[in-house]
Amino acid sequence: MVQVIWLVVTVLALFTVGYFGYSKYLSQFVELDEGRDTPAHKYEDGQEYVPAKKPVLLGHHYSSIAGGAPIVGPITAGVVWGWVPALAWIAIGNPLLGSVHDFVSLSSSLRHDGKSIGYIIGEYVGERGKNMLLWFAFLTIILVLAVFALVTGIVFDAYPSAATASLLYIALAFVFGVYLYQLNLPFIPGTVLFVAGVFASVYAGIQFPLVLIPEGGSTFLPTVINPNVSAWIPIIIIYAALASALPVWMLLQPRDYLSSFLLYAGVGGALLAIIVGTFLGTSSEPLVINISAYNGFWGSTGITPLFPMLFITIACGTISGFHSLVSSGTTSKQLNKETDARLIGYGGMIGEGLLATVALATLAVAGVTAGGGIGRALPNFADGGGIILTSFGIPAAYGAPFMALVLVSFLLTSTDTAVRLGRYMLEEIVGTPETQVEEYAIHRYVNPIIQGVPAYLLIASGSWLTLWQLFGGANQLLAALALTTATVWLANWDDSKQLISTGAPMVIMTGITTLGLLWVALHDNLYVKFIQGAEMTTVQTISAVVQIVLALVLIYIGISIVKMGYDNIQEVRDSPGAAVTDGGQTDD
């Protein structure tokens, strides 16, 4: 049997070449300058624009982009099509597509005062293009909030110890924020003290697990999975709403920095444990691949085509449009030096690719279990990770809850960051509020309600399983639009700039996501549910109709924006001297 270590070796080899070779070229290509003031320094306000130390910001950025999707996606794809197609898409697509996407999204925002990709595209193609992209992004944010809140609730239910540990490390983050930014106490001793506290919370969670509604209990809320999950979901959404309204120094920066050590330990520890367990034979079970290498074009289901569905099933881990919102939303407002963008933008996405590899490895070790999608991903990631960590002599009874907490750490940071980004999107759509309704829409405590209510309704309707591929398609098409934005920026910056590095991924992702969304709309919904006459409740019927409409609307918006971008590039390249200088950044 094939050993799991070959998954790790393949990915590490290609990612190393990508980071030390391609990212160095890209940094020179966009002319990163350590001496140029970043938006964090130019507009420092103590609220959103706050310069952060590189390791602190890397922790926030990595924690924010690496949610549950790079775990759920690879595991689902590995079961459906086999580990070879899943590994190939991660290992090749990440350094050539996803890491480039994240890096140029961050770089372009730096040169536009920390503004979002919606603002940037509007600078070049007009207000209509800007608003279309912002609305696209805002709708995607609601899908992100719904999916991540649900997955977090499922994890808390499956591993109550992770719920306790999560509450403790959030409390530690508040205290660390005061320690670091208000009391101005030493950074390194504080790091040692509070990181130790985070790991201690893992032990405390195992000793004192938190269950809101015991098995057999009931709740007045709509039942999703079970009463305990149903009780956690609104709490998680409320937490995200409150956390998104706080100044970044109070929770976001310190929490993400502290949790990054947990995340690095989970991802790095699992990768190292695979190496140790393979060569020293110290794991409780052989670290070999227990799933099929390839299940055929139509997969194990027999009805799901590898192309294009593999490429939207594994989104995060290879390429994700949500990352462009993080890069151009919060990260660009906190970057201390332009040159930090290489490690944080390109390197951060490489890190998420390693997480996707770990997720695939946990599936390979644990083998296929009952259930599907999210239901399969969670026990495999924690249980398979627990087996891998036995290579270090850590009992699986402790390793599995630790890996569950690692997953929750990703989820919580992504969830409240998504709500914060949703507020930024709506603020840019509204601009200067002229009515009371507009003022309420962008209010830091009201805007999260606008996002949270529809997200909760999507979950409570029971339609979340069928929305997963729609979420994946929307996310990947958003990546295509971010690459379009970067390509337009480069074309307007200097008419001699090559556009292949961003233009080729843009074309690839536009084609893949368009076909994927068409399959979701026309086959999975229209054909299977309506033409074949599947039995559906009223709620399921409404959900199917909404999915069809949403998929087609997303396709229309996406292709329209790509067309606007293409027209702008043609105009600039046909009119020498029309490009904007200094990377699109106006002179002070």
Side-chain angles (χ1 to χ4, degrees), residues 7-24 62 70 86-100 267 271 314-319 342 346-358:
L7 276 67
V8 176
V9 170
T10 300
V11 168
L12 285 178
L14 293 177
F15 284 10
T16 299
V17 172
Y19 183 76
F20 288 102
Y22 198 26
S23 75
K24 181 178 180 180
Y62 183 49
L87 179 67
W89 178 225
I90 295 168
I92 299 172
N94 182 298
L96 293 179
L97 304 179
S99 295
V100 174
V267 177
L271 291 173
I314 301 179
C316 300
T318 298
I319 179 171
R342 179 186 176 193
Y346 196 100
M349 184 57 193
I350 287 290
E352 187 179 86
L354 293 176
L355 172 61
T357 305
V358 168

Side-chain angles (χ1 to χ4, degrees), residues 23 101 110 130 138 169 228-230 264 268 271 273 289 292 314 319 350 371 373 402 409 431 461 485 492 495 510 562:
S23 75
H101 164 275
L110 281 176
K130 168 190 169 182
F138 185 74
Y169 96 77
N228 192 43
V229 174
S230 303
Y264 299 150
L271 291 173
I289 298 176
S292 300
I314 301 179
I319 179 171
I350 287 290
F402 171 76
S409 299
S461 70
T485 302
N492 281 268
D495 56 19
T510 301
V562 171

Side-chain angles (χ1 to χ4, degrees), residues 431-453:
T432 302
E434 298 179 353
T435 66
Q436 192 171 29
V437 172
E438 291 180 340
E439 289 181 358
Y440 280 128
I442 62 175
H443 191 280
R444 67 176 55 252
Y445 293 109
V446 177
N447 179 268
I449 299 175
I450 298 174
Q451 301 178 61
V453 170

Side-chain angles (χ1 to χ4, degrees), residues 120-366:
I120 297 169
I121 195 70
E123 286 289 287
Y124 301 111
V125 306
E127 193 72 12
R128 178 170 175 264
K130 168 190 169 182
N131 288 334
M132 289 180 74
L133 194 149
L134 290 173
W135 276 115
F136 186 105
F138 185 74
L139 294 174
T140 302
I141 285 292
I142 293 175
L143 288 170
V144 170
L145 176 58
V147 170
F148 285 0
L150 174 63
V151 177
T152 304
I154 294 174
V155 177
F156 281 171
D157 177 65
Y159 297 93
S161 58
T164 303
S166 296
L167 293 177
L168 289 175
Y169 96 77
I170 289 172
L172 284 168
F174 274 111
V175 178
F176 188 48
V178 174
Y179 171 96
L180 200 60
Y181 293 103
Q182 298 300 302
L183 302 179
N184 294 316
L185 295 174
F187 178 71
I188 294 178
T191 295
V192 173
L193 177 64
F194 284 92
V195 168
V198 170
F199 281 92
S201 71
V202 178
Y203 177 78
I206 294 173
Q207 300 303 314
F208 304 100
L210 177 60
V211 177
L212 294 182
I213 300 178
E215 186 175 353
S218 61
T219 176
F220 66 91
L221 297 168
T223 300
V224 180
I225 308 297
N226 62 48
N228 192 43
V229 174
S230 303
W232 274 118
I233 290 171
I235 292 175
I236 293 162
I237 292 176
I238 292 171
Y239 156 78
L242 294 174
S244 70
L246 296 174
V248 294
W249 66 264
M250 188 177 292
L251 177 62
L252 185 145
Q253 285 186 354
R255 182 211 55 205
D256 290 357
Y257 175 66
L258 291 176
S259 64
S260 68
F261 286 90
L262 194 63
L263 309 182
Y264 299 150
V267 177
L271 291 173
L272 184 59
I274 290 172
I275 297 173
V276 171
T278 300
F279 287 102
L280 300 183
T282 53
S283 59
S284 61
E285 299 180 20
L287 300 182
V288 296
I289 298 176
N290 295 309
I291 59 174
S292 300
Y294 180 56
N295 291 326
F297 181 81
W298 293 99
S300 58
T301 65
I303 57 171
T304 311
L306 184 148
F307 183 85
M309 302 312 290
L310 166 69
F311 304 95
I312 65 173
T313 299
I314 301 179
C316 300
T318 298
I319 179 171
S320 167
F322 175 70
H323 298 187
S324 69
L325 305 184
V326 176
S327 296
S328 67
T330 58
T331 303
S332 62
K333 295 177 174 66
Q334 301 174 61
L335 206 70
N336 188 40
K337 298 178 181 179
E338 279 197 357
T339 49
D340 293 349
R342 179 186 176 193
L343 173 64
I344 293 170
Y346 196 100
M349 184 57 193
I350 287 290
E352 187 179 86
L354 293 176
L355 172 61
T357 305
V358 168
L360 190 59
T362 61
L363 169 70
V365 170

Side-chain angles (χ1 to χ4, degrees), residues 546-569:
V546 169
Q547 287 184 67
I548 293 171
V549 173
L550 271 177
L552 297 179
V553 168
L554 291 173
I555 291 171
Y556 169 75
I557 294 176
I559 292 178
S560 297
I561 294 173
V562 171
K563 177 63 165 57
M564 292 180 200
Y566 176 79
D567 291 342
N568 175 270
I569 293 171

